[in-house]
Amino acid sequence: MPVLAGLLNSCAPTQYVQLHPVSGPVAPINGRLVTKASADSVEVIASYEREDMEFLALDIEVKNRTTSPIDLNPVDFQAEWLTENRETLNLAGKSSIREAADPEYESGRTAFKIKKEERRLRTAKILNTVLLVAVVASDITSSSSQRTNRDFGSWASNRIGHDAGYSLIQAKRVIDRGVFDDRMQRYQFEEYRWRQLALKRSIVQPGESVRGFVYLQKVNEAAFLNLSYPTGSGTSISLLFEQTISKTKPR
């Protein structure tokens, strides 16, 4: 898809984040390093997928090996960012423990941003029309005056000024449309991400599993990420990832 490719290229970072699982049994599967952990008959399988704009996407599968349904909510996944010594990272007064993104909430935010951008373009079109009417009126008035006075110098100056006004309005129209198209491409991709790719809230029946992407806010200062998921008894399933940052895009 050319539009999607263009969007992803335009959002390409100058530094690339990579997460490597360093806990549990780690195995390469389909080019990804995959790890897993379990507690209370609940198993979480995880691998790092990619950077996704302001998020890190992890491919997560949750298996219910209990005898009761599980109410799975992606925001129950928590990321604790750690230093090289695996101590809690100090984030200038902000908590180093972050909930995963809520796909329903983020989808609603994206819908709001789409409507806001559509209103912005409508307002810009109205303003451009008002500016064009003003320039046309000025052009007609001044041209009539110049024909009466028959002053070629004034007529040429007037023509240059109004032609520049027409050109500026046209340029503004092109810029307004370009900004709209760029933002809408991003928002449409965000909408697709939250509706189609993200792990959704669901009831996981005994013997069943669900899979999807869990999105975590990026924290470039961290050296490790401890991902945890609570079970019904209050025990947490933990998976540890090492974070590296490079200027070379990972293969």
Side-chain angles (χ1 to χ4, degrees):
M1 295 175 64
V3 170
L4 180 57
L7 170 64
L8 295 178
N9 288 335
S10 67
C11 297
T14 56
Q15 292 183 322
Y16 299 93
V17 177
Q18 187 74 11
L19 294 178
H20 312 272
V22 292
S23 69
V26 178
I29 300 177
N30 297 328
R32 297 278 192 274
L33 290 177
V34 180
T35 187
K36 64 181 179 179
S38 61
D40 297 334
S41 298
V42 178
E43 185 176 62
V44 176
I45 302 170
S47 65
Y48 176 64
E49 181 66 21
R50 62 173 178 266
E51 281 185 84
D52 197 330
M53 300 182 186
E54 71 271 35
F55 294 100
L56 299 178
L58 274 71
D59 186 352
I60 300 289
E61 183 178 5
V62 179
K63 294 184 177 182
N64 182 6
R65 303 190 188 280
T66 73
T67 57
S68 302
I70 295 175
D71 182 4
L72 176 68
N73 191 339
V75 300
D76 288 338
F77 283 91
Q78 289 192 331
E80 181 178 11
W81 297 97
L82 307 173
T83 66
E84 291 182 357
N85 298 324
R86 302 191 186 183
E87 298 174 347
T88 300
L89 183 67
N90 185 352
L91 292 174
K94 297 181 181 179
S95 174
S96 64
I97 301 177
R98 311 281 180 87
E99 289 182 346
D102 183 347
E104 292 184 8
Y105 171 75
E106 296 294 341
S107 180
R109 287 184 65 231
T110 300
F112 173 78
K113 288 187 285 187
I114 289 174
K115 290 180 180 179
K116 182 178 179 181
E117 191 60 28
E118 289 171 345
R119 289 196 300 269
R120 188 200 66 80
L121 182 62
R122 286 197 296 268
T123 301
K125 286 181 176 179
I126 292 172
L127 176 59
N128 292 337
T129 300
V130 171
L131 291 174
L132 181 61
V133 169
V135 172
V136 169
S138 174
D139 193 4
I140 292 173
T141 301
S142 57
S143 295
S144 299
S145 175
Q146 295 303 327
R147 282 196 298 269
T148 302
N149 296 331
R150 296 183 180 180
D151 184 340
F152 179 78
S154 298
W155 176 87
S157 177
N158 173 71
R159 187 74 268 130
I160 292 172
H162 283 89
D163 287 347
Y166 291 127
S167 297
L168 287 173
I169 292 172
Q170 181 58 29
K172 184 177 181 300
R173 281 176 169 171
V174 172
I175 292 171
D176 289 340
R177 187 69 202 190
V179 170
F180 174 81
D181 290 342
D182 288 344
R183 291 179 179 174
M184 289 298 288
Q185 286 179 14
R186 176 188 173 108
Y187 298 156
Q188 287 165 3
F189 175 75
E190 288 182 13
E191 189 174 51
Y192 170 77
R193 171 177 65 188
W194 300 123
R195 293 189 182 278
Q196 302 297 327
L197 302 180
L199 184 68
K200 304 296 191 304
R201 183 165 189 171
S202 59
I203 302 298
V204 188
Q205 298 296 333
E208 296 183 353
S209 67
V210 293
R211 183 178 177 183
F213 290 169
V214 169
Y215 292 90
L216 308 171
Q217 284 282 348
K218 287 192 291 188
V219 177
N220 289 355
E221 303 93 323
F224 289 91
L225 159 67
N226 186 53
L227 182 71
S228 63
Y229 177 74
T231 64
S233 68
T235 305
S236 288
I237 300 171
S238 294
L239 298 162
L240 187 65
F241 292 81
E242 183 178 11
Q243 176 171 274
T244 58
I245 298 178
S246 69
K247 293 184 179 180
T248 303
K249 186 175 182 179
R251 295 180 179 179

